[in-house]
Amino acid sequence: MTVPPEGLPLAAEFPDASREQWRRLVEGVLSKSGTHISAGTPAEDALATALQDDLRARPLYTAEDAPATDSAGFPGFPPFVRGSRPQGSAVGGWDVRQRHADPDPARTAEAVLADLEHGGTSLWLTLGAAGLPVEALPTVLKDVYLDLAAVVLDAGPQAKAAAERFFAVLAERAVPNDAATGNLGADPLGLLARTGDDTATDGLLRDTAELAERCAREYPGLRALTVDALPYHEAGASPAQELGAALATGVAYLRALTTAGPGASGLSIDAAAGQLEFRFAATEDQFLTIAKFRAARRLWSRVTEVAGASPAAGAQRQHAVTSEVMMTTRDPWVNMLRTTVATLAAGVGGADAVTVLPFDHEAGLPDAFARRIARNTQAILLEESHLGRVIDPAGGSWYVEQLTDELARAAWAWFQQLEAAGGQRAALTSGLVGERIAATWAERSVKLAKRREPITGVSEFPNLGEQPLVREAAPAPLGGGLPRVRRAEAFEALRARSDAHLAATGARPKLFLAAIGPAAAHTARTTFAANLFQAGGIETVLGESGEAAALAEAFTASGASISCLCSSDKLYAEHAEAVAAALKAADASRVLLAGRPGEQREAYQRAGVDEFVFAGGDAVAVLTSLLDQIGVAR
C-alpha cells in the first residue's frame, strides 16, 4: 500500500462522483425492490420523509441544498442562529433546571436541595393551584443560596403575588439585588391559552408591566416574563405553530412593556426585550428540535430588529423542556430514552436552560429515583459526552441549515397570520389558534393510529405483563383552554380497557394466531400481528400447523373467539381458504388475515375472512372494534 504524501487528500486519485450518478444507483436499487418512480421524479423524492408543516427530509443533502444566503452568522451575533452567547455552553454548560410541583412544602424543600447538591443549577417552581402554595416559598427556599441558584416561578394567575413573596424572601435573606437571578414567570397570554379565560388578561398585563419595570430598575439579573410555548405544543401544535405563537406572544409583550400606562411608565425596546425568556418543547425528533431552537433565535432577532432594538437585545433567552406529548404511562422506562434524545437535541440546538421531565411524570409526582435519573441525564451529556464543549455542533450541516431555514419561514408565515388576526390575544379568543392546532393534531393522530409514527413500548413492542407505576397524584394542571394531548393516549385507552377486563374477569381478551406452515414462512407476520393486537391489550395465542383441522382444534382449545391467519403469500394461496373455513366452522366470530390480499381478496372473503390487517392500516380502529366484539367494556 502506498502512503499518500502529506497534505494529499486520500481521495485524490478517485474521480469526483456527481449527484446524477448517485441518483442512478439509487434508482437501480429501488427498481429491484419493486418501488416505482415516475419519469422525471428525482430518486431522493421516493426516499423523502414527510414532516409536519409541509416540510420534507430528503435522504441526501449537499452544498447545493444550503440556504441561498448565509443566515447563520456567528455565536453571540445577529441573527443568533448559532447561539445567543459568544461562548455558547463551552464555558459552564447550559443551565440544568429542575421542575418542582409537589404541593408539600417540606418534601419540595428536600427535593430542591437534592437537585442543587447533585447537578442542578436552577429551580423551576410551579405555584398556586397546580403546585406549591405561594406562601410556602420561604420554606422551600430556606436553605437555598439565592445568590448562586436562579429561581424561576410559574404561578399562573397568582404571578404578582408570587413575585411579591419572592421579593420579600430576597429582602429577608439580605440577598443583594444584583445577585438575584431567575424569572418571575408572568405570562398572561400563556395563561389565557391554558384556561380560555380572558376576563383578567388586562389586569394581568398591567401587573406584568409593573413587575418588568421593577426588575429592570432594581434586579438586573431577574426577568419578569416567560413566553411559554408549551400550551401550544401540548395541544398538538406543529413546530412552526409553536414558534409562530411564541413570536406573536413576544411581540404582544413588547408592545405592552413599551407603552406607558397606569402604574407603568414604559420601558425602552431593549429593556423590554431583556425581560423575556422563551420556553419551548424539546421532543424525540432530534433534528427538528435542533432546527426549532436555531430558528427561534433567528426569528426573534428579526422581530427585535424591526422593532428598533439594538443588535445585542435580539439575543433570545431559551428554556427547553422535554415534551409531555411524547411521554407515556405504558412502559414508562422508555421515557428515559426519549428525554435523553430530546435533551441532546436541545443542547445541540443552543438552549440556555434545559428541564428534563422525570420518566414517571405521567404517573404522578416523581419519586427520588426518577428525579435522579432526570438530573443525571444532563450530567452525562455535559460531563461525560462533553456535549457543551463545541458551540453549535450541528452548524454547517447542510440538512440542519436547510431545515432551520425552512422551519423559520413556515413559522414566520404563521406568525404573520396571527398578527393579521389582531395579535395573539385576538387569535386565541377568536378560536383561530385552537382550530388550527386541532386540525394539525387530527392529521397527526391519523399517522399515530396507523403506526406511521410508532411509539416504542405502546404502539410497537408492547409489554402486556408490565406492572403499572404507582405514584401519588400530582396537582391538576390549569385547564379550560387549549386541550392537552399525548401521542400515546389512543393506544393507552385501549390498554386501560384490557386492564379493566382483566380485573373483572381474571383474563385478558384473547386472539388466536393461526400460523400456517413452518416458522420461516409465518414468523414475519405472526410477529407483526402479535405486536398489533397486544398494542390494544389483546393477548395472542399462537397455533402452528399446515393443516386446517389442526388449527381449528387449537383455536377451540385457546378460549379465543377471534382468529388471525398468519403466513406467506405463497402459503396463503394454498391454505388460507381452507383454514378460514375451518375456523368459521369452529365458531370463530371473526377471522382476520395478516397482509394485503391482492387479487385473492374475494376468494378469501368467500371462505370466511372478514378483514385484512397490514402495515399502514388504522390500528386504533381495528383494535377498538375487536375489543367491542370480544365484549370488553368501554
Side-chain angles (χ1 to χ4, degrees), residues 17 97 147 155 172 214 219 241 258 291 293 338 340-341 352 454 489 534 539 595 607:
R97 181 175 297 174
D147 55 343
E172 291 163 7
R214 183 172 180 182
Y219 298 94
Q241 287 174 329
T258 55
F293 282 89
R338 297 186 180 99
T340 299
V341 173
D352 300 290
E489 57 191 1
Q534 289 171 17
E539 179 183 344

Side-chain angles (χ1 to χ4, degrees), residues 465-479:
E466 70 174 300
Q467 295 300 310
L469 289 181
V470 178
R471 297 287 187 268
E472 181 180 338
L478 297 175

